[in-house]
Amino acid sequence: MKKQQFIYIVCLAALVSGCNIYKPYSRPEMDTKGLYRDPVSATDTLVSDTTNMGDLPWREVFTDPQLQSLIQLGLEQNTDLQTAILKVQEAEAGLMSARLAYTPSLNLAPQGGLSWYENHRRTWTWSAPIAASWEIDIFGKLLNTKRGAKAAVLQSQAYKQAVQTQVIAAVANYYYTLLMLDEQLAITENTSVLWKKTVETMRAMKEAGMVNEAAIVQSEANSYMIEASIPELKQQIREIENALSLILKEAPQQIERGSLKSQSFPAMMNAGVPVQLLSNRPDVKAAEMAFAGTFYNTNAARSAFYPSLSISGNFGWTNQLGSMVANPGKMIASALGSLTQPLFNKGANTARLRIAKAQQQEALLSFQQAILNAGSEVSNALCQYQSAEDKIVQRKKQINSLEKSVEYTQELLTLGTSTYLEVLTAQQSLLSAQLSNVSDQFDRIQAIVNLYNALGGGRNE
C-alpha cells in the first residue's frame, strides 16, 4: 500500500512539473543583432562601445543651471509622473494582498437570537465563534498569483521610470526650443533694424538719381515682411512657455532661461550595445514585465484544472448546544477539510486557459515590438545628430559666402554696377541662412536629448 502511494505521488509530481505550473519566468531569446543602424552607412550595423550615454545622470548631460531647476521642478510636480507613482503604490498593495493569501483568514461572527413557545418563557441564545479558513497551495495557484503581482509591481515601477525619462526629455526639448526661438527673434530684430537703414539708404540714393522709386518700394516691402515675422516668433515663444508651464504643473508664465550659444554637452555620444536596451529602456522593461505577468496568469489558469485543498474551522463560545441550552455558555470548536476537484465547469477553465495563452502571445509580440521601437528611436537620434553636424558645417560656409555677397552687392550698387534687386536677394538669402543655422544647432541639441531619452537616461534619479 505504501509503495502504491509513493508511485501515485511521483506520478502526480511529474504531471505537475510537466505542466510548468511551478516554473518561474525566464526572458525569451531576443535577437538584437543589427538593432542600431550606422548613421553614415546605409547597410552597416553600428559598432558601439559598451559605455552607454543613458547611464549618465541627467545633471551631467544638461548642465544649464536654469534648465536643471526646471527639470527638478518637473520631477517633483508633473501630473503624469505623480500618477505613475500612485500606480506603483497600487501594484505594491496588490502584491501585499497576494502574499497574505498564504495565511489563514480569520473572522469574528457573533450572533444572538430570542425565541419562545406558547406558555413557555423566552429563551436567549447566543454564540461568538471565530471562523478560520486556509487554502493550501498544492498546485501553484497562489504562487503564480503572487509572482504575477510581483511582475505587476516591476511593470509599474518601469512605467514610472519611463514617464520620468519622458518628463526630463520634454522639459529639455521645450527649453531648447525657447532658446532657438530667442536666437531667431534676436536675428530677425537685428535684421529689421538693418533693413530700415537700407530703406533710408535707398531714399538717399534716389535723391542722388542712382535708383528709382521701385527700389524704395521694394525695400520697404521687404522691411515690413521682416517686421511682420517678429510678432509670430513672439507668439511661438509664448505658446512654448505655456506648454512648458503645463508640464511643470504651473500656471502659464515667463520662463527664465539662458542662451543657445552658452549650451555645452558631454562629448560621449555612445549608444551602448543593443542588448542593454533590455535593461536600460524602462518601456522595454515594462513590456517585458507585462509579458511575465501573462506567463504567470497562464500558469494560474492551468492550476485551475487541479484539486484545491482548504481547511476551515470554528472556535468560540455558545450557550446553545443542539437541543440543550447552557447558561453560562460553553466553549465549542470544529474543524473541516475539503478537497475540490473540478470535473465540469461549462468550459470556463478551458476558456480561461485559452484566453491566458492568447494574451501571453500578445504580450510577447508587444515586448518584441518595444525592442524594435527602441532600436529605431536610437537610430533616428544618431542619424539626426550626424545630419545636424553635417548641415552646421555647410551652413557656416553658406553664411560666410552670403555675408560677402551682401557686402559686395551693396558696394556695387553704390558704384552703379549692380541693381537693388541683387542687394535685396542677397540680404534675404543671408537672413534665411542665419535662421536655418539656428535651427540646425537646435536639431543637434534635440538629437542629444532624443538619444538620451531613447537610451533610458535619467530613469533612476
Side-chain angles (χ1 to χ4, degrees):
M1 184 64 181
K2 290 183 178 180
K3 183 177 180 181
Q4 290 179 342
Q5 292 177 347
F6 177 76
I7 294 175
Y8 291 151
I9 294 174
V10 171
C11 292
L12 181 61
L15 179 63
V16 171
S17 61
C19 293
N20 299 323
I21 291 179
Y22 292 104
K23 182 179 179 180
Y25 165 81
S26 61
R27 177 182 294 168
E29 291 293 331
M30 292 290 177
D31 184 12
T32 59
K33 183 179 179 181
L35 196 59
Y36 304 149
R37 290 186 61 183
D38 191 289
V40 179
S41 172
T43 56
D44 296 339
T45 299
L46 180 68
V47 179
S48 300
D49 192 275
T50 54
T51 304
N52 190 323
M53 180 188 176
D55 292 331
L56 293 176
W58 62 264
R59 291 184 182 274
E60 294 184 14
V61 178
F62 309 115
T63 56
D64 188 313
Q66 291 166 315
L67 174 56
Q68 289 180 347
S69 299
L70 293 174
I71 291 177
Q72 186 62 45
L73 183 61
L75 295 178
E76 293 173 356
Q77 297 188 173
N78 179 262
T79 300
D80 291 337
L81 186 54
Q82 294 299 316
T83 302
I85 293 174
L86 293 175
K87 288 186 179 296
V88 173
Q89 297 176 4
E90 293 171 10
E92 289 175 344
L95 177 58
M96 180 185 68
S97 176
R99 286 173 173 169
L100 292 177
Y102 284 93
T103 61
S105 62
L106 300 175
N107 295 284
L108 176 62
Q111 58 183 359
L114 176 64
S115 61
W116 68 93
Y117 299 95
E118 186 177 359
N119 300 325
H120 289 75
R121 64 184 180 85
R122 293 180 179 86
T123 303
W124 288 92
T125 59
W126 58 270
S127 62
I130 298 177
S133 62
W134 182 27
E135 182 178 357
I136 301 176
D137 191 32
I138 300 178
F139 296 101
K141 177 182 176 182
L142 300 181
L143 174 65
N144 285 293
T145 300
K146 184 192 74 172
R147 288 174 173 176
K150 187 174 182 180
V153 171
L154 295 176
Q155 180 185 358
S156 64
Q157 290 174 343
Y159 172 74
K160 177 254 181 184
Q161 292 173 342
V163 175
Q164 184 166 303
T165 62
Q166 292 168 5
V167 169
I168 293 173
V171 172
N173 271 324
Y174 277 126
Y175 183 82
Y176 292 126
T177 301
L178 287 173
L179 300 188
M180 176 192 68
L181 292 173
D182 287 343
E183 188 71 16
Q184 289 182 336
L185 178 61
I187 292 173
T188 304
E189 289 176 337
N190 291 335
T191 303
S192 178
V193 174
L194 294 176
W195 273 88
K196 290 178 180 179
K197 293 181 179 179
T198 299
V199 172
E200 295 175 358
T201 301
M202 288 291 186
R203 288 172 179 165
M205 294 178 68
K206 179 180 179 295
E207 293 178 358
M210 299 177 63
V211 296
N212 54 28
E213 185 66 26
I216 297 177
V217 174
Q218 184 65 40
S219 61
E220 286 178 340
N222 282 275
S223 178
Y224 297 145
M225 178 189 67
I226 294 175
E227 288 188 38
S229 65
I230 293 176
E232 182 179 356
L233 287 170
K234 291 182 178 179
Q235 177 187 349
Q236 293 179 22
I237 290 174
R238 278 294 183 96
E239 291 176 351
I240 296 299
E241 286 181 328
N242 293 345
L244 180 51
S245 299
L246 187 62
I247 291 179
L248 302 177
K249 199 181 177 182
E250 296 278 340
Q253 58 188 275
Q254 182 180 0
I255 302 297
E256 297 296 329
R257 50 191 180 270
S259 64
L260 189 66
K261 296 178 181 179
S262 64
Q263 302 304 307
S264 62
F265 298 91
M268 184 179 69
M269 284 290 291
N270 293 336
V273 293
V275 73
Q276 284 183 300
L277 281 181
L278 297 176
S279 57
N280 287 355
R281 278 281 296 238
D283 58 333
V284 173
K285 185 176 181 180
E288 182 183 4
M289 291 301 99
F291 172 64
T294 59
F295 173 85
Y296 291 124
N297 287 341
T298 302
N299 284 354
R302 287 193 179 101
S303 66
F305 288 89
Y306 296 94
S308 60
L309 176 62
S310 61
I311 299 175
S312 60
N314 290 280
F315 175 81
W317 286 263
T318 181
N319 71 339
Q320 184 179 17
L321 298 175
S323 59
M324 300 178 293
V325 176
N327 282 298
K330 301 294 184 180
M331 184 179 69
I332 185 173
S334 65
L336 176 66
S338 64
L339 183 68
T340 304
Q341 169 62 55
L343 295 177
F344 178 69
N345 282 337
K346 302 178 182 180
N349 290 342
T350 302
R352 180 186 174 192
L353 179 58
R354 289 179 179 176
I355 293 172
K357 286 182 177 180
Q359 291 174 341
Q360 184 177 346
Q361 290 301 311
E362 292 172 10
L364 178 59
L365 292 174
S366 297
F367 178 32
Q368 294 170 338
Q369 190 62 45
I371 295 176
L372 294 176
N373 292 343
S376 177
E377 290 177 11
V378 172
S379 298
N380 290 342
L382 291 171
C383 182
Q384 181 184 7
Y385 183 85
Q386 185 63 45
S387 176
E389 282 282 301
D390 295 340
K391 286 192 295 182
I392 287 173
V393 172
Q394 301 303 320
R395 195 79 68 189
K396 287 181 179 179
K397 296 178 182 179
Q398 180 190 17
I399 292 174
N400 184 52
S401 297
L402 288 172
E403 287 175 343
K404 293 179 180 179
S405 175
V406 170
E407 180 183 353
Y408 295 158
T409 55
Q410 287 177 338
E411 291 178 356
L412 291 174
L413 179 63
T414 304
L415 296 174
T417 58
S418 177
T419 65
Y420 69 92
L421 289 178
E422 291 176 330
V423 175
L424 297 179
T425 301
Q427 290 176 330
Q428 288 176 341
S429 298
L430 176 59
L431 174 61
S432 176
Q434 290 173 331
L435 296 177
S436 296
N437 182 53
V438 175
S439 297
D440 295 339
Q441 295 178 38
F442 170 73
D443 286 343
R444 179 173 59 182
I445 293 175
Q446 189 179 51
I448 296 174
V449 176
N450 292 343
L451 179 61
Y452 188 66
N453 182 41
L455 294 173
R459 60 192 176 276
N460 294 322
E461 300 175 56

